[in-house]
Amino acid sequence: MSTVQHRIVPQHVAIIMDGNGRWANARGLPRTFGHRKGVETVRETVKAAGEAGVGFLTLFAFSSENWRRPEAEINELFGLLKAFIRRDLADLHRAGIRIRIIGDRVNLRDDIRSLLLEAEETTTNNTRMTLVIAFNYGSRDEIARAAARLAADVQAGRLEPSQIDAGKLNDCLDTAGIPDPDLVIRTSGEERLSNFLLWQAAYAELMFVPDFWPDFTPALFDSVLERYAARDRRFGGLSAKAVAVGS
């Protein structure tokens, strides 16, 4: 059970799950072993997030750039996604967790696309926590698709160019209806967003941890939430401490 109930807990946590392959290589194992161990970490993290009171958990599962990887590894990742949904969907549904998928589905295989739709439709009325899976997702692609939708509305006469603002663009993103992330975590020691939620993470707190994703335990997640609770979020304004002193 998490120990963060008494602290400030982020409403939305987003995680770049990095380091599966390097975790396996460090142990002399095939990269696929790292991906499989990473799925176990997903299960543990989803449970820990729910216990901590997180409302939305977004996991970067497969990026639009991951198509550059070897075909065998891509097939392994697809197989793990299918296995995860088939094995865990019933448990997630019973736990009251809603599943949302973000990313471009147009070019996905029919079996993957139908499985993602099944997961969303089965859990659509759940309210305890929303698990957002970013699959075939790239933030620049997402923004470009949103801009194209707005352009189509302008061309059809449904929208005036002067009416386009940040809110209109936000409503056309894959994440429409999902609050912006309060906290973005990246494992493996890399310190970049890698085309992940670039628009939505404008005011997110960023946490980079050195551990590879398979080693990201619930205790480590708890420690990151502890660090988050100590942050002073200002959103371009003054800190609460500065306001108190000025008053």
Tab-separated table of all heavy atoms in Angstrom, residues 97-157:
chain	number	residue	atom	x	y	z
A	97	ILE	N	-10.948	0.653	-13.524
A	97	ILE	CA	-10.002	1.446	-14.307
A	97	ILE	C	-10.490	1.572	-15.747
A	97	ILE	O	-10.812	0.574	-16.397
A	97	ILE	CB	-8.601	0.819	-14.269
A	97	ILE	CG1	-8.060	0.857	-12.834
A	97	ILE	CG2	-7.648	1.539	-15.224
A	97	ILE	CD1	-6.754	0.144	-12.646
A	98	ARG	N	-10.534	2.786	-16.214
A	98	ARG	CA	-10.912	3.053	-17.598
A	98	ARG	C	-9.650	3.106	-18.463
A	98	ARG	O	-8.616	3.626	-18.040
A	98	ARG	CB	-11.653	4.386	-17.716
A	98	ARG	CG	-12.100	4.713	-19.135
A	98	ARG	CD	-12.759	6.077	-19.212
A	98	ARG	NE	-13.192	6.360	-20.581
A	98	ARG	CZ	-13.721	7.518	-20.960
A	98	ARG	NH1	-13.868	8.499	-20.082
A	98	ARG	NH2	-14.091	7.703	-22.222
A	99	ILE	N	-9.731	2.567	-19.667
A	99	ILE	CA	-8.599	2.580	-20.596
A	99	ILE	C	-8.898	3.540	-21.739
A	99	ILE	O	-9.977	3.507	-22.336
A	99	ILE	CB	-8.311	1.175	-21.151
A	99	ILE	CG1	-7.875	0.234	-20.022
A	99	ILE	CG2	-7.239	1.228	-22.238
A	99	ILE	CD1	-7.641	-1.190	-20.453
A	100	ARG	N	-7.942	4.437	-22.006
A	100	ARG	CA	-7.992	5.321	-23.163
A	100	ARG	C	-6.736	5.083	-23.992
A	100	ARG	O	-5.653	4.883	-23.435
A	100	ARG	CB	-8.020	6.795	-22.719
A	100	ARG	CG	-9.370	7.321	-22.243
A	100	ARG	CD	-10.267	7.776	-23.365
A	100	ARG	NE	-9.673	8.804	-24.208
A	100	ARG	CZ	-9.822	10.115	-24.000
A	100	ARG	NH1	-10.492	10.569	-22.961
A	100	ARG	NH2	-9.273	10.983	-24.851
A	101	ILE	N	-6.879	5.107	-25.287
A	101	ILE	CA	-5.747	4.926	-26.192
A	101	ILE	C	-5.522	6.225	-26.945
A	101	ILE	O	-6.469	6.810	-27.487
A	101	ILE	CB	-5.993	3.792	-27.203
A	101	ILE	CG1	-6.475	2.511	-26.493
A	101	ILE	CG2	-4.736	3.525	-28.019
A	101	ILE	CD1	-5.478	1.902	-25.544
A	102	ILE	N	-4.280	6.704	-26.976
A	102	ILE	CA	-3.947	7.863	-27.787
A	102	ILE	C	-2.887	7.458	-28.809
A	102	ILE	O	-2.077	6.579	-28.559
A	102	ILE	CB	-3.469	9.069	-26.943
A	102	ILE	CG1	-2.205	8.719	-26.145
A	102	ILE	CG2	-4.583	9.536	-26.007
A	102	ILE	CD1	-1.602	9.916	-25.405
A	103	GLY	N	-2.909	8.108	-29.959
A	103	GLY	CA	-1.991	7.755	-31.032
A	103	GLY	C	-2.758	7.508	-32.320
A	103	GLY	O	-3.987	7.400	-32.320
A	104	ASP	N	-2.052	7.423	-33.410
A	104	ASP	CA	-2.651	7.237	-34.729
A	104	ASP	C	-2.934	5.758	-34.961
A	104	ASP	O	-2.033	4.924	-34.928
A	104	ASP	CB	-1.688	7.775	-35.795
A	104	ASP	CG	-2.324	7.814	-37.173
A	104	ASP	OD1	-3.508	7.431	-37.297
A	104	ASP	OD2	-1.638	8.228	-38.126
A	105	ARG	N	-4.188	5.424	-35.206
A	105	ARG	CA	-4.579	4.022	-35.396
A	105	ARG	C	-4.751	3.639	-36.864
A	105	ARG	O	-5.021	2.480	-37.168
A	105	ARG	CB	-5.891	3.734	-34.660
A	105	ARG	CG	-5.876	4.119	-33.204
A	105	ARG	CD	-7.136	3.660	-32.504
A	105	ARG	NE	-7.342	4.385	-31.254
A	105	ARG	CZ	-8.301	4.139	-30.385
A	105	ARG	NH1	-9.155	3.167	-30.636
A	105	ARG	NH2	-8.422	4.845	-29.281
A	106	VAL	N	-4.632	4.598	-37.758
A	106	VAL	CA	-4.972	4.373	-39.164
A	106	VAL	C	-4.196	3.209	-39.753
A	106	VAL	O	-4.765	2.347	-40.440
A	106	VAL	CB	-4.741	5.654	-39.987
A	106	VAL	CG1	-4.945	5.370	-41.473
A	106	VAL	CG2	-5.688	6.760	-39.528
A	107	ASN	N	-2.903	3.151	-39.514
A	107	ASN	CA	-2.066	2.137	-40.151
A	107	ASN	C	-1.784	0.919	-39.273
A	107	ASN	O	-0.934	0.100	-39.616
A	107	ASN	CB	-0.739	2.767	-40.593
A	107	ASN	CG	-0.933	3.827	-41.666
A	107	ASN	OD1	-1.732	3.647	-42.582
A	107	ASN	ND2	-0.219	4.935	-41.553
A	108	LEU	N	-2.493	0.803	-38.164
A	108	LEU	CA	-2.286	-0.359	-37.312
A	108	LEU	C	-2.961	-1.589	-37.910
A	108	LEU	O	-3.935	-1.494	-38.652
A	108	LEU	CB	-2.856	-0.092	-35.910
A	108	LEU	CG	-2.142	0.943	-35.049
A	108	LEU	CD1	-2.860	1.084	-33.711
A	108	LEU	CD2	-0.679	0.559	-34.817
A	109	ARG	N	-2.454	-2.757	-37.559
A	109	ARG	CA	-3.083	-3.997	-37.994
A	109	ARG	C	-4.495	-4.081	-37.438
A	109	ARG	O	-4.784	-3.579	-36.362
A	109	ARG	CB	-2.261	-5.199	-37.511
A	109	ARG	CG	-0.910	-5.310	-38.155
A	109	ARG	CD	-0.078	-6.481	-37.647
A	109	ARG	NE	-0.551	-7.156	-36.465
A	109	ARG	CZ	0.266	-7.793	-35.602
A	109	ARG	NH1	1.573	-7.790	-35.799
A	109	ARG	NH2	-0.230	-8.416	-34.561
A	110	ASP	N	-5.368	-4.743	-38.180
A	110	ASP	CA	-6.773	-4.830	-37.775
A	110	ASP	C	-6.926	-5.484	-36.408
A	110	ASP	O	-7.778	-5.073	-35.604
A	110	ASP	CB	-7.574	-5.608	-38.816
A	110	ASP	CG	-7.762	-4.833	-40.108
A	110	ASP	OD1	-7.567	-3.597	-40.096
A	110	ASP	OD2	-8.098	-5.465	-41.128
A	111	ASP	N	-6.120	-6.521	-36.132
A	111	ASP	CA	-6.270	-7.220	-34.855
A	111	ASP	C	-5.873	-6.326	-33.686
A	111	ASP	O	-6.508	-6.362	-32.621
A	111	ASP	CB	-5.462	-8.520	-34.844
A	111	ASP	CG	-3.972	-8.292	-35.060
A	111	ASP	OD1	-3.611	-7.304	-35.729
A	111	ASP	OD2	-3.164	-9.090	-34.561
A	112	ILE	N	-4.853	-5.483	-33.887
A	112	ILE	CA	-4.438	-4.571	-32.834
A	112	ILE	C	-5.489	-3.479	-32.653
A	112	ILE	O	-5.884	-3.153	-31.522
A	112	ILE	CB	-3.069	-3.931	-33.172
A	112	ILE	CG1	-1.971	-5.006	-33.202
A	112	ILE	CG2	-2.732	-2.842	-32.159
A	112	ILE	CD1	-1.673	-5.642	-31.872
A	113	ARG	N	-5.961	-2.930	-33.753
A	113	ARG	CA	-6.941	-1.853	-33.677
A	113	ARG	C	-8.233	-2.308	-32.989
A	113	ARG	O	-8.796	-1.605	-32.161
A	113	ARG	CB	-7.241	-1.327	-35.088
A	113	ARG	CG	-8.041	-0.035	-35.108
A	113	ARG	CD	-7.968	0.677	-36.448
A	113	ARG	NE	-8.292	-0.199	-37.565
A	113	ARG	CZ	-7.436	-0.531	-38.515
A	113	ARG	NH1	-6.192	-0.055	-38.487
A	113	ARG	NH2	-7.797	-1.330	-39.507
A	114	SER	N	-8.690	-3.500	-33.318
A	114	SER	CA	-9.925	-4.001	-32.710
A	114	SER	C	-9.728	-4.298	-31.226
A	114	SER	O	-10.645	-4.099	-30.413
A	114	SER	CB	-10.394	-5.267	-33.436
A	114	SER	OG	-9.435	-6.304	-33.328
A	115	LEU	N	-8.537	-4.750	-30.857
A	115	LEU	CA	-8.259	-5.041	-29.450
A	115	LEU	C	-8.236	-3.752	-28.626
A	115	LEU	O	-8.766	-3.710	-27.503
A	115	LEU	CB	-6.923	-5.770	-29.331
A	115	LEU	CG	-6.646	-6.506	-28.018
A	115	LEU	CD1	-7.636	-7.633	-27.816
A	115	LEU	CD2	-5.226	-7.051	-28.009
A	116	LEU	N	-7.632	-2.702	-29.172
A	116	LEU	CA	-7.602	-1.417	-28.483
A	116	LEU	C	-9.018	-0.872	-28.304
A	116	LEU	O	-9.367	-0.348	-27.238
A	116	LEU	CB	-6.746	-0.421	-29.262
A	116	LEU	CG	-5.257	-0.772	-29.424
A	116	LEU	CD1	-4.552	0.294	-30.247
A	116	LEU	CD2	-4.584	-0.942	-28.078
A	117	LEU	N	-9.836	-1.012	-29.341
A	117	LEU	CA	-11.217	-0.537	-29.260
A	117	LEU	C	-11.996	-1.325	-28.221
A	117	LEU	O	-12.784	-0.753	-27.454
A	117	LEU	CB	-11.873	-0.663	-30.633
A	117	LEU	CG	-13.314	-0.150	-30.747
A	117	LEU	CD1	-13.378	1.341	-30.421
A	117	LEU	CD2	-13.868	-0.415	-32.148
A	118	GLU	N	-11.773	-2.630	-28.163
A	118	GLU	CA	-12.454	-3.463	-27.161
A	118	GLU	C	-12.102	-3.017	-25.751
A	118	GLU	O	-12.980	-2.936	-24.871
A	118	GLU	CB	-12.065	-4.928	-27.350
A	118	GLU	CG	-12.674	-5.861	-26.312
A	118	GLU	CD	-12.123	-7.276	-26.380
A	118	GLU	OE1	-11.335	-7.571	-27.291
A	118	GLU	OE2	-12.469	-8.086	-25.497
A	119	ALA	N	-10.822	-2.731	-25.517
A	119	ALA	CA	-10.392	-2.294	-24.187
A	119	ALA	C	-11.069	-0.992	-23.796
A	119	ALA	O	-11.512	-0.823	-22.652
A	119	ALA	CB	-8.872	-2.138	-24.158
A	120	GLU	N	-11.176	-0.072	-24.743
A	120	GLU	CA	-11.818	1.212	-24.448
A	120	GLU	C	-13.312	1.042	-24.192
A	120	GLU	O	-13.851	1.608	-23.225
A	120	GLU	CB	-11.601	2.180	-25.615
A	120	GLU	CG	-10.182	2.714	-25.714
A	120	GLU	CD	-10.037	3.752	-26.798
A	120	GLU	OE1	-10.515	3.505	-27.938
A	120	GLU	OE2	-9.457	4.812	-26.527
A	121	GLU	N	-13.969	0.293	-25.046
A	121	GLU	CA	-15.420	0.153	-24.926
A	121	GLU	C	-15.812	-0.622	-23.667
A	121	GLU	O	-16.811	-0.303	-23.018
A	121	GLU	CB	-15.982	-0.530	-26.170
A	121	GLU	CG	-15.902	0.337	-27.419
A	121	GLU	CD	-16.489	-0.349	-28.639
A	121	GLU	OE1	-16.659	-1.593	-28.601
A	121	GLU	OE2	-16.774	0.358	-29.628
A	122	THR	N	-15.019	-1.637	-23.307
A	122	THR	CA	-15.333	-2.444	-22.127
A	122	THR	C	-15.268	-1.622	-20.848
A	122	THR	O	-16.057	-1.821	-19.921
A	122	THR	CB	-14.362	-3.639	-22.027
A	122	THR	OG1	-14.493	-4.453	-23.190
A	122	THR	CG2	-14.638	-4.476	-20.779
A	123	THR	N	-14.345	-0.679	-20.795
A	123	THR	CA	-14.081	0.054	-19.553
A	123	THR	C	-14.605	1.487	-19.578
A	123	THR	O	-14.302	2.262	-18.672
A	123	THR	CB	-12.569	0.092	-19.280
A	123	THR	OG1	-11.907	0.791	-20.363
A	123	THR	CG2	-11.995	-1.314	-19.175
A	124	THR	N	-15.390	1.851	-20.566
A	124	THR	CA	-15.742	3.253	-20.787
A	124	THR	C	-16.464	3.909	-19.614
A	124	THR	O	-16.367	5.120	-19.422
A	124	THR	CB	-16.588	3.395	-22.074
A	124	THR	OG1	-16.760	4.789	-22.374
A	124	THR	CG2	-17.949	2.727	-21.901
A	125	ASN	N	-17.170	3.138	-18.813
A	125	ASN	CA	-17.931	3.722	-17.700
A	125	ASN	C	-17.198	3.663	-16.365
A	125	ASN	O	-17.752	4.067	-15.339
A	125	ASN	CB	-19.285	3.010	-17.570
A	125	ASN	CG	-20.192	3.261	-18.768
A	125	ASN	OD1	-20.253	4.363	-19.293
A	125	ASN	ND2	-20.880	2.216	-19.211
A	126	ASN	N	-15.977	3.175	-16.352
A	126	ASN	CA	-15.215	3.086	-15.110
A	126	ASN	C	-14.688	4.455	-14.701
A	126	ASN	O	-14.353	5.289	-15.540
A	126	ASN	CB	-14.054	2.102	-15.263
A	126	ASN	CG	-14.535	0.676	-15.456
A	126	ASN	OD1	-15.681	0.347	-15.156
A	126	ASN	ND2	-13.676	-0.181	-15.975
A	127	THR	N	-14.599	4.683	-13.399
A	127	THR	CA	-14.276	6.026	-12.911
A	127	THR	C	-13.167	6.074	-11.858
A	127	THR	O	-12.767	7.159	-11.445
A	127	THR	CB	-15.532	6.680	-12.301
A	127	THR	OG1	-16.033	5.859	-11.227
A	127	THR	CG2	-16.623	6.860	-13.338
A	128	ARG	N	-12.643	4.923	-11.418
A	128	ARG	CA	-11.653	4.976	-10.338
A	128	ARG	C	-10.356	5.629	-10.801
A	128	ARG	O	-9.790	6.492	-10.128
A	128	ARG	CB	-11.358	3.564	-9.823
A	128	ARG	CG	-10.376	3.590	-8.649
A	128	ARG	CD	-9.924	2.211	-8.237
A	128	ARG	NE	-8.920	2.297	-7.186
A	128	ARG	CZ	-8.072	1.310	-6.887
A	128	ARG	NH1	-8.125	0.168	-7.549
A	128	ARG	NH2	-7.185	1.463	-5.935
A	129	MET	N	-9.853	5.212	-11.961
A	129	MET	CA	-8.644	5.785	-12.546
A	129	MET	C	-8.682	5.544	-14.044
A	129	MET	O	-9.283	4.571	-14.509
A	129	MET	CB	-7.380	5.153	-11.948
A	129	MET	CG	-6.078	5.796	-12.426
A	129	MET	SD	-4.585	5.079	-11.669
A	129	MET	CE	-4.415	3.565	-12.639
A	130	THR	N	-8.079	6.455	-14.806
A	130	THR	CA	-7.981	6.276	-16.258
A	130	THR	C	-6.544	5.918	-16.620
A	130	THR	O	-5.615	6.655	-16.288
A	130	THR	CB	-8.408	7.548	-17.002
A	130	THR	OG1	-9.783	7.843	-16.713
A	130	THR	CG2	-8.250	7.363	-18.512
A	131	LEU	N	-6.382	4.774	-17.275
A	131	LEU	CA	-5.083	4.348	-17.778
A	131	LEU	C	-5.021	4.721	-19.252
A	131	LEU	O	-5.778	4.185	-20.075
A	131	LEU	CB	-4.910	2.840	-17.593
A	131	LEU	CG	-3.672	2.212	-18.240
A	131	LEU	CD1	-2.381	2.802	-17.666
A	131	LEU	CD2	-3.690	0.692	-18.080
A	132	VAL	N	-4.151	5.655	-19.584
A	132	VAL	CA	-4.004	6.122	-20.967
A	132	VAL	C	-2.775	5.435	-21.561
A	132	VAL	O	-1.669	5.566	-21.036
A	132	VAL	CB	-3.836	7.651	-21.032
A	132	VAL	CG1	-3.785	8.126	-22.482
A	132	VAL	CG2	-4.961	8.351	-20.272
A	133	ILE	N	-2.980	4.703	-22.642
A	133	ILE	CA	-1.882	4.012	-23.311
A	133	ILE	C	-1.562	4.767	-24.592
A	133	ILE	O	-2.405	4.881	-25.487
A	133	ILE	CB	-2.238	2.549	-23.619
A	133	ILE	CG1	-2.559	1.794	-22.315
A	133	ILE	CG2	-1.101	1.861	-24.361
A	133	ILE	CD1	-3.036	0.370	-22.525
A	134	ALA	N	-0.348	5.317	-24.654
A	134	ALA	CA	0.105	6.009	-25.860
A	134	ALA	C	0.733	4.975	-26.788
A	134	ALA	O	1.832	4.490	-26.537
A	134	ALA	CB	1.110	7.106	-25.501
A	135	PHE	N	0.015	4.637	-27.856
A	135	PHE	CA	0.451	3.564	-28.750
A	135	PHE	C	0.469	4.076	-30.181
A	135	PHE	O	-0.517	4.625	-30.663
A	135	PHE	CB	-0.481	2.352	-28.628
A	135	PHE	CG	0.085	1.106	-29.252
A	135	PHE	CD1	1.002	0.334	-28.559
A	135	PHE	CD2	-0.277	0.728	-30.533
A	135	PHE	CE1	1.547	-0.804	-29.132
A	135	PHE	CE2	0.257	-0.407	-31.112
A	135	PHE	CZ	1.175	-1.178	-30.417
A	136	ASN	N	1.588	3.890	-30.867
A	136	ASN	CA	1.827	4.509	-32.170
A	136	ASN	C	1.606	6.017	-32.042
A	136	ASN	O	0.945	6.650	-32.864
A	136	ASN	CB	0.925	3.929	-33.265
A	136	ASN	CG	1.415	4.283	-34.657
A	136	ASN	OD1	2.607	4.504	-34.884
A	136	ASN	ND2	0.489	4.361	-35.603
A	137	TYR	N	2.183	6.558	-30.983
A	137	TYR	CA	1.966	7.967	-30.627
A	137	TYR	C	3.232	8.782	-30.839
A	137	TYR	O	4.338	8.347	-30.503
A	137	TYR	CB	1.542	8.073	-29.160
A	137	TYR	CG	1.431	9.508	-28.682
A	137	TYR	CD1	0.268	10.226	-28.871
A	137	TYR	CD2	2.514	10.139	-28.072
A	137	TYR	CE1	0.169	11.546	-28.462
A	137	TYR	CE2	2.432	11.455	-27.657
A	137	TYR	CZ	1.251	12.160	-27.853
A	137	TYR	OH	1.165	13.468	-27.458
A	138	GLY	N	3.051	9.967	-31.387
A	138	GLY	CA	4.106	10.967	-31.486
A	138	GLY	C	3.451	12.326	-31.354
A	138	GLY	O	2.442	12.609	-32.009
A	139	SER	N	3.969	13.167	-30.492
A	139	SER	CA	3.313	14.438	-30.201
A	139	SER	C	3.245	15.357	-31.415
A	139	SER	O	2.232	16.015	-31.652
A	139	SER	CB	4.037	15.143	-29.046
A	139	SER	OG	3.299	16.262	-28.614
A	140	ARG	N	4.310	15.420	-32.209
A	140	ARG	CA	4.276	16.277	-33.390
A	140	ARG	C	3.211	15.790	-34.375
A	140	ARG	O	2.487	16.598	-34.978
A	140	ARG	CB	5.652	16.319	-34.055
A	140	ARG	CG	6.684	17.120	-33.268
A	140	ARG	CD	8.030	17.118	-33.972
A	140	ARG	NE	8.985	18.012	-33.317
A	140	ARG	CZ	10.238	18.188	-33.719
A	140	ARG	NH1	10.686	17.527	-34.774
A	140	ARG	NH2	11.040	19.026	-33.084
A	141	ASP	N	3.122	14.488	-34.549
A	141	ASP	CA	2.083	13.921	-35.416
A	141	ASP	C	0.701	14.257	-34.879
A	141	ASP	O	-0.215	14.609	-35.636
A	141	ASP	CB	2.265	12.409	-35.512
A	141	ASP	CG	1.110	11.733	-36.237
A	141	ASP	OD1	0.991	11.918	-37.454
A	141	ASP	OD2	0.323	11.034	-35.576
A	142	GLU	N	0.520	14.145	-33.571
A	142	GLU	CA	-0.764	14.451	-32.942
A	142	GLU	C	-1.159	15.905	-33.197
A	142	GLU	O	-2.308	16.196	-33.560
A	142	GLU	CB	-0.672	14.188	-31.430
A	142	GLU	CG	-1.915	14.598	-30.658
A	142	GLU	CD	-1.687	14.584	-29.153
A	142	GLU	OE1	-0.536	14.836	-28.715
A	142	GLU	OE2	-2.653	14.350	-28.424
A	143	ILE	N	-0.209	16.827	-33.020
A	143	ILE	CA	-0.489	18.242	-33.225
A	143	ILE	C	-0.793	18.522	-34.696
A	143	ILE	O	-1.694	19.306	-35.030
A	143	ILE	CB	0.689	19.097	-32.721
A	143	ILE	CG1	0.814	18.968	-31.192
A	143	ILE	CG2	0.496	20.563	-33.104
A	143	ILE	CD1	2.091	19.562	-30.619
A	144	ALA	N	-0.060	17.871	-35.598
A	144	ALA	CA	-0.304	18.050	-37.025
A	144	ALA	C	-1.701	17.557	-37.407
A	144	ALA	O	-2.411	18.207	-38.194
A	144	ALA	CB	0.765	17.319	-37.839
A	145	ARG	N	-2.105	16.422	-36.853
A	145	ARG	CA	-3.446	15.900	-37.135
A	145	ARG	C	-4.524	16.833	-36.591
A	145	ARG	O	-5.580	17.027	-37.213
A	145	ARG	CB	-3.606	14.497	-36.556
A	145	ARG	CG	-2.852	13.428	-37.328
A	145	ARG	CD	-3.167	12.019	-36.864
A	145	ARG	NE	-2.473	11.654	-35.634
A	145	ARG	CZ	-3.035	11.515	-34.446
A	145	ARG	NH1	-4.350	11.719	-34.314
A	145	ARG	NH2	-2.332	11.157	-33.390
A	146	ALA	N	-4.270	17.420	-35.425
A	146	ALA	CA	-5.222	18.373	-34.848
A	146	ALA	C	-5.325	19.621	-35.716
A	146	ALA	O	-6.430	20.144	-35.955
A	146	ALA	CB	-4.793	18.743	-33.430
A	147	ALA	N	-4.189	20.101	-36.200
A	147	ALA	CA	-4.195	21.279	-37.068
A	147	ALA	C	-4.950	20.989	-38.365
A	147	ALA	O	-5.677	21.854	-38.881
A	147	ALA	CB	-2.760	21.709	-37.365
A	148	ALA	N	-4.787	19.776	-38.892
A	148	ALA	CA	-5.491	19.402	-40.119
A	148	ALA	C	-7.004	19.392	-39.891
A	148	ALA	O	-7.779	19.791	-40.776
A	148	ALA	CB	-5.012	18.033	-40.599
A	149	ARG	N	-7.437	18.939	-38.741
A	149	ARG	CA	-8.874	18.946	-38.422
A	149	ARG	C	-9.405	20.363	-38.360
A	149	ARG	O	-10.500	20.655	-38.883
A	149	ARG	CB	-9.117	18.246	-37.078
A	149	ARG	CG	-8.937	16.743	-37.114
A	149	ARG	CD	-9.166	16.127	-35.748
A	149	ARG	NE	-10.513	16.394	-35.244
A	149	ARG	CZ	-10.927	16.041	-34.025
A	149	ARG	NH1	-10.084	15.422	-33.192
A	149	ARG	NH2	-12.157	16.296	-33.644
A	150	LEU	N	-8.657	21.269	-37.763
A	150	LEU	CA	-9.083	22.661	-37.696
A	150	LEU	C	-9.115	23.275	-39.090
A	150	LEU	O	-10.039	24.041	-39.425
A	150	LEU	CB	-8.145	23.453	-36.781
A	150	LEU	CG	-8.211	23.113	-35.291
A	150	LEU	CD1	-7.114	23.853	-34.525
A	150	LEU	CD2	-9.584	23.458	-34.710
A	151	ALA	N	-8.115	22.944	-39.895
A	151	ALA	CA	-8.081	23.468	-41.265
A	151	ALA	C	-9.287	22.972	-42.061
A	151	ALA	O	-9.877	23.733	-42.852
A	151	ALA	CB	-6.785	23.051	-41.953
A	152	ALA	N	-9.664	21.717	-41.865
A	152	ALA	CA	-10.828	21.171	-42.557
A	152	ALA	C	-12.099	21.886	-42.127
A	152	ALA	O	-12.995	22.142	-42.944
A	152	ALA	CB	-10.942	19.671	-42.289
A	153	ASP	N	-12.191	22.215	-40.842
A	153	ASP	CA	-13.362	22.947	-40.343
A	153	ASP	C	-13.427	24.348	-40.940
A	153	ASP	O	-14.510	24.848	-41.269
A	153	ASP	CB	-13.317	23.033	-38.813
A	153	ASP	CG	-13.696	21.724	-38.137
A	153	ASP	OD1	-14.284	20.862	-38.822
A	153	ASP	OD2	-13.395	21.564	-36.939
A	154	VAL	N	-12.277	24.979	-41.083
A	154	VAL	CA	-12.245	26.305	-41.704
A	154	VAL	C	-12.666	26.207	-43.171
A	154	VAL	O	-13.480	27.003	-43.667
A	154	VAL	CB	-10.834	26.928	-41.581
A	154	VAL	CG1	-10.733	28.194	-42.438
A	154	VAL	CG2	-10.514	27.256	-40.125
A	155	GLN	N	-12.125	25.225	-43.882
A	155	GLN	CA	-12.441	25.055	-45.295
A	155	GLN	C	-13.921	24.773	-45.505
A	155	GLN	O	-14.516	25.230	-46.495
A	155	GLN	CB	-11.608	23.921	-45.878
A	155	GLN	CG	-11.722	23.767	-47.386
A	155	GLN	CD	-10.802	22.685	-47.912
A	155	GLN	OE1	-10.650	21.625	-47.300
A	155	GLN	NE2	-10.158	22.954	-49.043
A	156	ALA	N	-14.542	24.046	-44.561
A	156	ALA	CA	-15.959	23.707	-44.680
A	156	ALA	C	-16.869	24.820	-44.177
A	156	ALA	O	-18.099	24.692	-44.252
A	156	ALA	CB	-16.236	22.419	-43.910
A	157	GLY	N	-16.281	25.884	-43.662
A	157	GLY	CA	-17.082	27.003	-43.187
A	157	GLY	C	-17.636	26.833	-41.787
A	157	GLY	O	-18.473	27.626	-41.345
